[in-house]
Amino acid sequence: MDFKLVKEMLRRILLVTFTAAVLACHASPKTQPIVDGVSNIVPDEKQSLVCKEIVALIENYNYKKIKITDSISSIILDKYIKDLDPSRYYFLESDIKDFEKFRYELDDDFRNGDLSAPFYIFNMYLKRYNEWISYGLSQIKSSYDFNQNDTYVFDRENMPWSTSVSDLNSIWKKRVKYELVNLKISGTAPEKNVEGLTKRYENLRVQASKINNQDVFQLIMDAFTETIDPHTNYFNPTNAQAFTEDMARSFEGIGARLQLENEILKIGEIIPGGPAFKSKLLTTGDRIIGVAQGSAEFEDITGWRIENSVAKIKGPKGTKVRLKIIPVGQDVSSKPVIIELTREKIVMEEQSAKKTVKSIQSNGKPYKIGIITVPAFYADVNAARNGDKNYKSTTRDVRLLIDTLKNKDHVDAIVMDLRANGGGSLTEAIDLTGLFIDKGPVVQVKDLKNEVDVSEDTNPGVAWDGPFGVMIDRLSASASEIFAGAIQDYGRGIIMGTQTYGKGTVQSSIRMDDVVNPSILQKLAMLVGKTGGAGSSAQAQPQLGIINLTMAKFYRVTGSSTQHKGVMPDIAFPSLYPMDKIGEDTEKSALPWDEVGKSKFIPVANLSTIKPELIKLHRDRMAKSLDYKILEQDLADAKKREGEVSVTLNEAKLKAERDSLEAKALAKTNQLRASRGLAALKKGDKITKEESFDFVEDESLKIMADFMQIQK
């Protein structure tokens, strides 16, 4: 399926729609109710335009072909309220009754670009949030009796809304008491506990004061799009940039990870190879208080939102940025040091595919196995489009790793670790599969017209033809499932782990700006400029964000969808994640499972006779494995705790419970350490990275050794 054609089709069709939309921007929306006690946040014209066009995109191009009706409006309202206040700490029952007037209006409002209702709801939420954070602050210095046998209900999702301020005050008083008793049993002095909790609440209040209309609009669109299906998502301009950088595994800037601490931007990490690293002018812990572009004037960024500060520091490669720095260890009042850096393209290698080599013994025979960990299916599409021959992609990175494993490390087998890999580029999933099969279909895609297109690996030859395995878990999704499913269907390798997530839908990433006539964007820029937005210059074109729109479903070459069902492993492990809480089959708005016709493909091998032997050998080991026994105990204990919604506020009881849990955990850890010949830990000791043990990985390598021995 050619999504470039889809985008071009959308561009042409939506020009008319967007023209009408911009003209409609002049229409008067409903008056947004004012909430006393807070600075009311209001939507702008850009958001109005984007909202109505998202309605049009969903109604015309979403795979569900769903119409936004009163029933959808009702679900959006419930989801939005739940997203704002999931544990019912802020809204009163009277607030919820007040919001009922919007229950069947959001569909028409969104179609008209009217966001007054959800923005009013958010302003009411902000009012309540500030009220109860302030109340919490007022209760921190109160006198508490930690010998009482009272309890605190921390999970109130299924409880009724509080009917009065006094009821909610009582809940918040217990919340503060719980936070204080938690700090108390950790052993710190009472005055330090009061000081620390006060700072925590004050910081919450400060962060709330920085919320802007982009944040609110993102929350509203999340509730809207996720009501339609779990994977149709809108990203506001800031989040769109982060999404693009994550997919590309690169960005342009100084090469430093930044964090906010006490309203001041701090260097959290220096990325190796970047300008900050090469200059040796910055150190982890340095604080940035001012930023200047080239020779321009400095801007004081103290107290800014972190994304606004980061936006000033990032910029096109080759451009210069000057920073005012308070070096780590010096007082904030110290004279700042001014440094200048030239921005570069930064490649995030630590978030890219990487390899390790492990040696194991099986039946007296040594084996070297290469493990390739793939955290996502990424691709720097812009770099590829611009002709960069060294553009970043999963397949390119893995090909190089395989070459090293074959020719330098001389491994006997390779295992691909796709655990917690949530997917990414469909093209990369197809290309990566092509490294392990000669040629042939990899995935089938059914579009809006129910037409099925078969995507194939057309490149002859393979990068690795030796023994191969794939590790998966419940968080392996989408592109991971395409890859693992194809490897399984072709008989190309052994799939080990747990049933995957079950995301069998395809999203097309559409820049909202790309489907808008430039002249309309210019008019919109002027409209926004009138309200103090992006400015009135015709060149100041607003960025409208990105929508990932579900436009197709994918199917394995056998014809079976991975939707809901995911990929079932050949060798099963217990799931570390609750299967009834995580997965496509837990999503109310998810598309159903179905099938299409089988593709014409030639399996590489028939592993049906080998798999039963591998399963038997695996089960025999598990029956004797202390790791497996303790893993099952841990999962059973976690299952018991799932239903807990309250905790004791009695200090002695809470401490006894915590001590008991810690003692059991330490005893189990030392049991395992003893089985591996390691010294026992004492309370408070930490496991070093070198001593950490991945039981699932270790057993998967043993399965691969079994596989090689049976094959021979």
Side-chain angles (χ1 to χ4, degrees):
M1 185 174 183
D2 192 341
F3 286 106
K4 289 183 180 177
L5 294 177
V6 172
K7 288 185 183 180
E8 183 58 30
M9 173 186 72
L10 288 172
R11 181 196 299 275
R12 293 173 182 172
I13 293 174
L14 291 179
L15 284 179
V16 176
T17 314
F18 272 100
T19 303
V22 171
L23 293 174
C25 283
H26 297 284
S28 298
K30 288 185 292 188
T31 302
Q32 181 175 315
I34 299 298
V35 176
D36 295 329
V38 291
S39 297
N40 281 244
I41 303 173
V42 297
D44 60 35
E45 286 87 349
K46 286 191 299 182
Q47 292 159 353
S48 174
L49 173 61
V50 169
C51 180
K52 67 175 71 177
E53 293 314 322
I54 287 178
V55 172
L57 283 167
I58 286 173
E59 291 193 328
N60 291 292
Y61 303 107
N62 185 276
Y63 190 85
K64 278 187 172 181
K65 302 173 186 174
I66 195 169
K67 293 297 177 185
I68 312 303
T69 60
D70 284 358
S71 60
I72 297 295
S73 172
S74 178
I75 299 170
I76 294 170
L77 179 65
D78 288 337
K79 179 159 181 35
Y80 183 50
I81 292 170
K82 184 176 180 179
D83 289 349
L84 290 175
D85 192 3
S87 292
R88 306 192 173 192
Y89 283 127
Y90 305 103
F91 286 134
L92 293 166
E93 183 183 61
S94 57
D95 297 325
I96 303 304
K97 288 180 178 178
D98 175 38
F99 303 152
E100 276 298 309
K101 60 178 176 279
F102 305 124
R103 181 163 295 280
Y104 302 112
E105 294 182 359
L106 296 180
D107 53 327
D108 296 324
D109 286 351
F110 285 4
R111 186 171 281 105
N112 295 323
D114 188 337
L115 294 160
S116 57
F119 267 83
Y120 163 71
I121 291 172
F122 185 85
N123 289 330
M124 182 57 73
Y125 164 76
L126 199 56
K127 174 183 172 71
R128 297 299 187 214
Y129 181 90
N130 286 329
E131 286 173 349
W132 271 287
I133 292 296
S134 296
Y135 179 77
L137 267 168
S138 73
Q139 297 303 304
I140 292 173
K141 293 182 180 179
S142 297
S143 178
Y144 292 97
D145 182 358
F146 296 115
N147 296 314
Q148 289 180 314
N149 288 319
D150 50 345
T151 59
Y152 166 59
V153 179
F154 57 85
D155 184 353
R156 304 184 62 255
E157 182 179 344
N158 297 316
M159 298 188 72
W161 295 99
S162 296
T163 57
S164 66
V165 170
S166 60
D167 284 347
L168 207 43
N169 280 348
S170 176
I171 291 165
W172 270 86
K173 196 173 180 76
K174 285 193 173 185
R175 174 171 169 166
V176 171
K177 183 177 180 180
Y178 172 66
E179 290 175 312
L180 286 171
V181 75
N182 254 318
L183 293 168
K184 194 168 187 287
I185 64 176
S186 68
T188 52
E191 60 273 14
K192 287 289 184 183
N193 296 338
V194 168
E195 180 185 336
L197 192 56
T198 299
K199 283 183 178 179
R200 185 189 302 175
Y201 274 58
E202 286 174 343
N203 184 57
L204 289 172
R205 194 159 57 181
V206 168
Q207 294 308 311
S209 71
K210 295 181 180 180
I211 293 172
N212 60 29
N213 69 354
Q214 283 284 6
D215 301 320
V216 180
F217 185 59
Q218 184 68 66
L219 287 167
I220 295 165
M221 289 299 100
D222 285 346
F224 175 25
T225 59
E226 289 170 20
T227 295
I228 306 306
D229 81 79
H231 309 293
T232 286
N233 304 114
Y234 168 76
F235 300 104
N236 69 25
T238 299
N239 294 335
Q241 182 181 357
F243 171 76
T244 303
E245 290 175 356
D246 185 58
M247 283 295 293
R249 287 298 192 266
S250 65
F251 64 92
E252 294 181 348
I254 66 170
R257 300 199 191 285
L258 305 170
Q259 58 192 57
L260 207 59
E261 186 178 276
N262 298 325
E263 299 295 288
I264 297 177
L265 197 67
K266 189 174 85 170
I267 304 290
E269 180 188 354
I270 304 291
I271 298 173
F277 178 84
K278 289 186 285 190
S279 72
K280 298 182 180 178
L281 297 173
L282 284 173
T283 304
T284 300
D286 286 351
R287 288 146 294 172
I288 304 173
I289 60 171
V291 181
Q293 309 303 319
S295 59
E297 294 292 319
F298 272 98
E299 292 182 89
D300 187 336
I301 62 168
T302 303
W304 281 24
R305 287 167 57 103
I306 187 167
E307 63 266 32
N308 294 342
S309 299
V310 169
K312 291 289 183 182
I313 296 169
K314 282 182 177 179
K317 64 180 179 181
T319 59
K320 295 183 183 297
V321 62
R322 290 185 297 139
L323 306 174
K324 276 186 182 179
I325 303 295
I326 304 294
V328 61
Q330 292 189 18
D331 191 81
V332 178
S333 61
S334 302
K335 183 178 179 180
V337 176
I338 296 177
I339 68 168
E340 182 178 274
L341 297 171
T342 300
R343 301 175 176 109
E344 297 177 12
K345 183 173 182 177
I346 312 298
V347 177
M348 296 181 280
E349 294 292 353
E350 76 283 2
Q351 295 177 30
S352 304
K354 56 179 69 70
K355 75 171 180 73
T356 54
V357 178
K358 298 287 180 75
S359 297
I360 66 167
Q361 290 276 338
S362 180
N363 294 326
K365 182 173 174 54
Y367 292 97
K368 284 178 74 176
I369 301 177
I371 303 167
I372 299 177
T373 303
V374 178
F377 287 80
Y378 50 87
D380 191 341
V381 177
N382 290 332
R385 187 183 296 127
N386 294 332
D388 183 351
K389 294 181 180 179
N390 296 313
Y391 72 90
K392 189 79 173 166
S393 85
T394 299
T395 304
R396 292 167 63 88
D397 288 350
V398 170
R399 187 189 293 276
L400 292 173
L401 295 175
I402 291 173
D403 186 60
T404 304
L405 289 170
K406 276 198 313 185
N407 301 313
K408 182 180 177 182
D409 299 313
H410 303 292
V411 296
D412 301 299
I414 290 177
V415 171
M416 186 81 73
D417 188 350
L418 297 182
R419 290 176 296 173
N421 182 323
S425 168
L426 176 64
T427 301
E428 285 302 309
I430 296 164
D431 291 346
L432 189 67
T433 304
L435 299 184
F436 300 93
I437 65 170
D438 186 19
K439 281 194 300 184
V442 174
V443 63
Q444 304 184 82
V445 178
K446 185 167 71 172
D447 64 17
L448 295 165
K449 297 179 181 178
N450 290 325
E451 294 176 355
V452 178
D453 178 71
V454 180
S455 296
E456 300 192 15
D457 164 42
T458 57
N459 298 316
V462 297
W464 175 255
D465 61 2
F468 185 55
V470 181
M471 286 192 284
I472 55 174
D473 66 8
R474 188 61 165 174
L475 301 184
S476 304
S478 193
S480 291
E481 295 172 296
I482 292 172
F483 178 83
I487 295 299
Q488 189 176 58
D489 293 337
Y490 272 88
R492 180 59 191 87
I494 298 297
I495 312 298
M496 303 164 285
T498 59
Q499 180 185 8
T500 57
Y501 191 90
K503 179 188 175 292
T505 55
V506 184
Q507 285 69 45
S508 182
S509 210
I510 301 168
R511 292 180 75 251
M512 300 297 288
D513 296 47
D514 286 348
V515 292
V516 182
N517 188 311
S519 65
I520 296 174
L521 276 174
Q522 289 168 5
K523 291 177 184 176
L524 181 60
M526 289 189 287
L527 285 172
V528 174
K530 290 176 183 177
T531 59
S536 58
S537 168
Q539 284 73 38
Q541 295 186 359
Q543 298 296 306
L544 303 180
I546 288 174
I547 184 168
N548 276 356
L549 191 66
T550 299
M551 299 179 71
K553 287 179 73 175
F554 63 71
Y555 301 79
R556 294 166 66 158
V557 291
T558 58
S560 174
S561 172
T562 56
Q563 182 69 1
H564 280 286
K565 293 188 177 182
V567 175
M568 299 299 296
D570 300 316
I571 313 295
F573 287 77
S575 176
L576 300 177
Y577 307 99
M579 304 288 281
D580 59 341
K581 289 183 170 55
I582 297 174
E584 192 79 358
D585 54 0
T586 68
E587 298 282 358
K588 293 180 180 178
S589 60
L591 286 158
W593 176 89
D594 63 341
E595 292 179 288
V596 295
K598 182 179 178 181
S599 290
K600 293 181 180 178
F601 72 100
I602 302 172
V604 174
N606 182 358
L607 302 180
S608 60
T609 58
I610 292 179
K611 290 176 185 177
E613 293 184 67
L614 292 176
I615 292 170
K616 182 181 183 305
L617 291 168
H618 165 67
R619 287 176 176 170
D620 288 345
R621 274 193 300 273
M622 294 305 93
K624 303 171 187 174
S625 169
L626 179 62
D627 287 274
Y628 188 78
K629 179 183 177 183
I630 288 177
L631 174 60
E632 287 195 313
Q633 286 177 355
D634 288 344
L635 293 174
D637 290 343
K639 190 72 177 174
K640 287 179 185 176
R641 292 194 296 270
E642 270 183 23
E644 294 178 0
V645 296
S646 63
V647 63
T648 181
L649 293 177
N650 181 285
E651 181 186 354
K653 288 183 179 179
L654 185 61
K655 189 175 187 307
E657 288 176 10
R658 296 280 170 82
D659 288 346
S660 175
L661 288 172
E662 287 179 13
K664 285 179 181 178
L666 183 61
K668 285 188 285 189
T669 298
N670 283 332
Q671 265 187 289
L672 293 171
R673 289 176 66 84
S675 71
R676 289 190 272 276
L678 297 171
L681 295 176
K682 296 177 183 177
K683 184 178 179 180
D685 289 346
K686 293 185 177 180
I687 299 173
T688 64
K689 186 177 179 181
E690 293 73 24
E691 292 178 335
S692 61
F693 184 73
D694 186 338
F695 164 67
V696 175
E697 178 189 280
D698 182 71
E699 174 58 19
S700 295
L701 299 185
K702 290 174 181 174
I703 291 168
M704 290 305 297
D706 294 339
F707 182 36
M708 287 184 277
Q709 290 174 6
I710 293 170
Q711 278 189 317
K712 288 183 179 179

